[in-house]
Amino acid sequence: MSEATALDLDTRKIDRSQMQVSNEVAIQISQMNKWYGTFHVLRDINMTVNRGERIVICGPSGSGKSTLIRCINRLEEHQQGQIIVDGTELTSDLKNIDKVRSEVGMVFQHFNLFPHLTILENCTLAPIWVRKTPKKEAEEIAMHFLRKVKIPEQANKYPGQLSGGQQQRVAIARSLCMKPRIMLFDEPTSALDPEMIKEVLDTMIQLAEEGMTMLCVTHEMGFAQAVANRVIFMDQGQIVEQNSPKEFFNNPQSDRTKLFLSQILGH
Amino acid sequence: MNTSTSTFVRTEMLPQQAPPITEAGAVKWLRENLFSSVLNTILTILGVAAVAYLVMHIAPWLSRSVWNANTLSECRQIITERYGEGATGACWAVIRERWPQYLFGFYPSHLYWRPVLAFVLLCVAVAPVLFDKLPRKMLWFSLVYPAVGFWLLWGGSVWVPVMALAGFAIGYAAARIVKPLAGTIIATIAAVLAPVLWWLFLAGPAADAMQSILPVALQAVRSREFGGFVLAFTIGFTGIAFSLPLGIMLALGRQSDMFIVNKLSVGFIEFIRGVPLITLLFTASLLLNYFLPPGTDFDIILRVIIMVVLFAAAYIAEVVRGGLAALPRGQYEAADALGLDYWKAQRLIIMPQALKISIPGIVSTFIGLFKDTTLVVFVGLLDPLKGITDAVRASTDWKGIYWEPYIFVGTIFFVFCFAMSRYSMYLEGKLKTDHR
């Protein structure tokens, strides 16, 4: 499958004019460690993400890649080290956590739309209740982003009435309505039928073209090659290798990376 | 294998056709539902026979109903005159004659308008809660109704319920004042503590003071004069209204990461669920008197209501916990990731879904609570089922009557419980948005 999407993406012309990496630091992680009970899931993670970067994190399952990006908006708590997001350090201080969460958008593997609310309500909920945006304005913003992900006509339906790909696009729109400065994607296409992966990837590429800072945990290597400026490979809770996509795919350095690439690209 | 290799390409799609005649209509229904197998056929015949037997025995009795008579013997005489010697019939005259007593117990008869008005206003107060098509402003009346209902039923100075309501305003004000000064947690504590202190120490004197300045009062009615359906409804509806929020808080407490809150909730729920309601009612009527300072007049109905609320709340907490457990973790994570704080996430995301899942269980608990109000007979209150019926049967006029009062009371309970059950199904249908 990954080869098929890679081909699709090659044919799509990507506008790189706004894809610029600035010197401003968006996320700074230093000496970060995390344990689940006695299990050491993340070991000595050091990484800096500059504004405008598009980073793809890959690795075998259980390597800690999802846990890493979930630490960035504190869905998981780290025990050692420092995570600074947009100048705010993540500590147990609830104020900081809420501040970071309202600046960082997150898209989940299973969409996690709110099934009891319409698409429009899903999108306006956080702006209204967290940002205190007036309802009317929030609805306008929501419709703007729903048009952007190309499903404005579904605004008054419920999530259960939409296909997986549409739901994931709504989830992206819902995050965007908070006008986040950073977007996290946790395997956004892994739960989708092959036919729907492309529509979600297209939406993500569109975001990248607009200069959004993005961290994606994904197995879509075509997407990594087309959009990412950096690929991070993780194994056993550690960053094993990071490089530009070109170098990463054509000239992997560590044996573990070579093995991983041969397994996912080999067939 | 050889034949299957020939190429086949469909050029036109087949249109849809009607099913064969045996697959539709009444014949199909009968065959599938009543006579699908030998066992099913036998069961069908037995079922029809049982229903026929019951109807044959009850129908004549019901058809010989008498509605106008003043005593049981008069009633029997009428039946004998009309239907001949040895005929039996239903004597509904007892309901007709004792109607006020069944409704109001020993509530002073010249004040019957007060419970009636309270009931009508109750309907007005409940309507916007049940049906969201009604104007939302009506909910303000629903919030004030407990005080209005209390005043109408028990009477006394109007300032008592007004001061009780003022406690909530004081709690709100305390939260608003303290929050910018000392943060959310202190503000929450202030919001609870201020009204409690007010109710315990200041509300009483304040009500007395206001009463002496501006006396507005209804004739007071003592709790011992309550009875019949007024009593059942008072306890039942108050129990329902207060046990739901308390049950939700307990369910959240049981899910909480905070050790003390968690253990207190678990302990409370397990204790209350492990004890029969009657034990709690006895505790309310007898034991509390030993613990309270002598001379304290702690209303018996109020005590019973508190126990009923605690009892139902423990059950509701567990029902709601089931609903909470059924929600995928992703819902919590999505709410967190959007920056919603705990209470907003609970109110907007978690509870609407968890409560929707729990509707059948919650309504079952409510139905149980409503029927359990008849147990107050054990602490000397005149519930409609046994309390009033015994009083009726103890009179010389109606000594010996048996079925009719129980059937009547049972029917009234059935009507209300069935209405609740139907409403819960309506609500489930209305809230069904998952399209599974």
Side-chain angles (χ1 to χ4, degrees):
Chain A
M1 189 54 233
S2 57
E3 259 182 306
T5 38
L7 278 175
D8 285 350
L9 295 173
D10 284 342
T11 54
R12 187 192 192 290
K13 209 167 148 37
I14 291 174
D15 174 11
R16 294 181 181 275
S17 61
Q18 291 188 47
M19 284 195 191
Q20 281 152 7
V21 176
S22 80
N23 290 329
E24 196 189 334
V25 175
I27 303 170
Q28 170 89 52
I29 301 178
S30 43
Q31 292 295 315
M32 192 261 278
N33 280 283
K34 171 168 178 59
W35 288 263
Y36 282 134
T38 55
F39 177 58
H40 199 171
V41 265
L42 291 176
R43 309 179 192 178
D44 266 351
I45 304 289
N46 286 295
M47 92 191 232
T48 306
V49 180
N50 286 348
R51 198 158 295 296
E53 276 204 278
R54 295 135 343 250
I55 296 177
V56 163
I57 304 173
C58 58
S61 64
S63 59
K65 47 195 193 314
S66 286
T67 312
L68 172 61
I69 69 163
R70 288 158 61 88
C71 280
I72 293 172
N73 66 351
R74 193 91 172 179
L75 287 183
E76 304 282 354
E77 194 180 329
H78 62 283
Q79 280 92 33
Q80 263 177 25
Q82 219 180 18
I83 302 178
I84 300 174
V85 182
D86 243 350
T88 310
E89 186 182 352
L90 281 171
T91 57
S92 50
D93 188 341
L94 286 175
K95 265 192 195 130
N96 285 355
I97 296 174
D98 283 341
K99 192 172 164 210
V100 166
R101 281 176 178 166
S102 60
E103 300 298 335
V104 177
M106 179 138 191
V107 177
F108 299 88
Q109 180 177 358
H110 296 289
F111 334 132
N112 296 352
L113 293 178
F114 305 131
H116 63 300
L117 301 175
T118 62
I119 300 307
L120 189 63
E121 287 165 343
N122 263 278
C123 293
T124 55
L125 184 103
I128 290 173
W129 290 95
V130 180
R131 290 251 192 272
K132 314 279 177 212
T133 315
K135 187 168 179 232
K136 203 145 185 230
E137 199 184 323
E139 282 176 354
E140 280 164 18
I141 297 171
M143 286 314 292
H144 168 78
F145 285 110
L146 286 175
R147 272 193 292 275
K148 199 161 178 169
V149 300
K150 304 196 178 66
I151 33 177
E153 71 282 359
Q154 313 282 10
N156 292 315
K157 290 195 184 167
Y158 286 95
Q161 294 166 290
L162 270 56
S163 73
Q166 289 174 323
Q167 290 196 40
Q168 192 60 299
R169 284 185 283 151
V170 170
I172 294 173
R174 178 176 73 177
S175 294
L176 292 176
C177 286
M178 288 292 281
K179 307 256 174 83
R181 308 188 67 185
I182 300 165
M183 283 289 283
L184 308 174
F185 293 84
D186 188 1
E187 306 206 21
T189 56
S190 300
L192 295 177
D193 289 343
E195 280 179 316
M196 295 165 180
I197 291 179
K198 187 173 175 295
E199 62 188 55
V200 171
L201 288 182
D202 276 341
T203 309
M204 290 166 64
I205 291 171
Q206 197 187 341
L207 264 183
E209 285 173 338
E210 286 162 12
M212 175 66 79
T213 311
M214 296 165 71
L215 275 85
C216 313
V217 172
T218 181
H219 299 294
E220 295 298 326
M221 292 303 138
F223 173 78
Q225 278 171 322
V227 187
N229 69 312
R230 186 150 47 120
V231 179
I232 293 179
F233 175 69
M234 290 184 70
D235 190 28
Q236 295 177 11
Q238 312 161 54
I239 295 179
V240 175
E241 187 164 343
Q242 53 174 312
N243 217 328
S244 69
K246 209 172 173 182
E247 282 294 302
F248 182 83
F249 289 109
N250 299 329
N251 190 16
Q253 302 294 314
S254 90
D255 292 341
R256 187 65 192 88
T257 316
K258 283 176 194 161
L259 179 66
F260 177 74
L261 287 175
S262 74
Q263 273 166 347
I264 61 163
L265 300 173
H267 51 89
Chain B
M1 285 306 279
N2 287 338
T3 52
S4 64
T5 52
S6 60
T7 322
F8 171 75
V9 177
R10 183 177 289 288
T11 49
E12 53 183 310
M13 301 311 254
L14 297 174
Q16 189 168 305
Q17 291 181 338
I21 194 76
T22 50
E23 284 303 305
V27 179
K28 181 193 180 212
W29 187 89
L30 281 173
R31 238 186 30 192
E32 278 189 358
N33 293 294
L34 297 180
F35 306 105
S36 66
S37 66
V38 177
L39 180 64
N40 196 350
T41 309
I42 294 172
L43 288 176
T44 302
I45 293 167
L46 283 178
V48 170
V51 171
Y53 178 82
L54 279 175
V55 169
M56 266 159 43
H57 279 74
I58 296 172
W61 184 74
L62 276 181
S63 70
R64 297 184 204 126
S65 294
V66 173
W67 289 92
N68 284 309
N70 290 320
T71 64
L72 185 60
S73 48
E74 192 185 328
C75 200
R76 287 197 173 138
Q77 201 185 336
I78 294 173
I79 292 171
T80 314
E81 278 168 17
R82 279 190 203 158
Y83 306 104
E85 200 65 43
T88 56
C91 187
W92 302 113
V94 65
I95 309 302
R96 190 191 169 93
E97 205 227 7
R98 295 303 180 113
W99 177 253
Q101 203 175 359
Y102 270 106
L103 288 192
F104 304 106
F106 293 99
Y107 206 90
S109 57
H110 65 286
L111 299 177
Y112 281 171
W113 64 272
R114 275 164 44 183
V116 171
L117 181 60
F119 184 74
V120 171
L121 291 180
L122 173 72
C123 296
V124 177
V126 166
V129 178
L130 297 186
F131 303 102
D132 62 0
K133 295 239 164 51
L134 292 166
R136 296 292 85 193
K137 288 225 167 78
M138 282 174 77
L139 284 171
W140 286 106
F141 178 70
S142 311
L143 282 177
V144 184
Y145 176 76
V148 177
F150 169 84
W151 189 51
L152 281 174
L153 287 174
W154 275 275
S157 160
V158 73
W159 297 108
V160 173
V162 167
M163 289 303 154
L165 276 184
F168 291 102
I170 285 168
Y172 178 74
R176 287 300 292 270
I177 293 166
V178 175
K179 196 171 177 187
L181 300 176
T184 317
I185 296 171
I186 307 281
T188 314
I189 295 171
V192 176
L193 211 57
V196 170
L197 289 176
W198 164 262
W199 286 323
L200 281 181
F201 298 112
L202 293 171
D208 290 344
M210 287 307 292
Q211 179 66 15
S212 59
I213 299 168
L214 185 66
V216 182
L218 287 173
Q219 182 187 334
V221 178
R222 286 177 303 116
S223 283
R224 291 284 172 194
E225 291 170 293
F226 279 58
F229 285 105
V230 166
L231 181 69
F233 282 12
T234 305
I235 298 172
F237 280 97
T238 323
I240 286 172
F242 287 95
S243 62
L244 183 61
L246 184 61
I248 291 173
M249 294 316 290
L250 282 170
L252 291 178
R254 193 165 188 167
Q255 290 242 312
S256 167
D257 296 332
M258 287 185 270
F259 183 80
I260 298 294
V261 173
N262 178 295
K263 290 295 171 264
L264 281 178
S265 308
V266 172
F268 178 87
I269 292 168
E270 296 302 340
F271 172 73
I272 298 279
R273 284 203 312 164
V275 175
L277 177 58
I278 299 202
T279 316
L280 295 177
L281 293 179
F282 278 138
T283 312
S285 82
L286 303 170
L287 279 177
L288 278 186
N289 274 357
Y290 293 112
F291 295 121
L292 291 171
T296 337
D297 182 26
F298 194 19
D299 189 88
I300 178 71
I301 292 183
L302 186 62
R303 279 185 272 170
V304 164
I305 285 175
I306 289 174
M307 286 304 175
V308 168
V309 166
L310 297 183
F311 189 75
Y315 280 86
I316 286 181
E318 287 298 279
V319 171
V320 172
R321 189 167 70 98
L324 287 171
L327 283 193
R329 239 174 81 86
Q331 293 293 309
Y332 293 86
E333 290 179 349
D336 281 348
L338 285 170
L340 294 165
D341 64 29
Y342 177 81
W343 291 109
K344 280 180 191 152
Q346 288 297 342
R347 198 174 102 208
L348 302 164
I349 310 296
I350 307 302
M351 272 308 153
Q353 297 185 62
L355 290 180
K356 186 176 83 182
I357 300 170
S358 323
I359 287 172
I362 291 176
V363 174
S364 286
T365 311
F366 284 168
I367 288 176
L369 182 159
F370 185 52
K371 290 186 298 180
D372 282 351
T373 56
T374 51
L375 291 177
V376 298
V377 70
F378 289 107
V379 293
L381 290 171
L382 288 171
D383 83 298
L385 186 69
K386 188 165 163 56
I388 298 291
T389 301
D390 279 358
V392 169
R393 275 150 45 96
S395 68
T396 46
D397 286 353
W398 297 103
K399 204 173 172 65
I401 195 149
Y402 193 74
W403 289 103
E404 292 84 347
Y406 294 124
I407 293 176
F408 164 69
V409 175
T411 309
I412 301 281
F413 271 104
F414 176 80
V415 166
F416 279 88
C417 294
F418 188 66
M420 281 193 247
S421 157
R422 283 283 126 177
Y423 176 76
S424 102
M425 289 172 77
Y426 154 81
L427 199 60
E428 276 175 74
K430 198 184 72 161
L431 296 178
K432 191 167 164 43
T433 57
D434 53 359
H435 303 278
R436 266 190 284 205

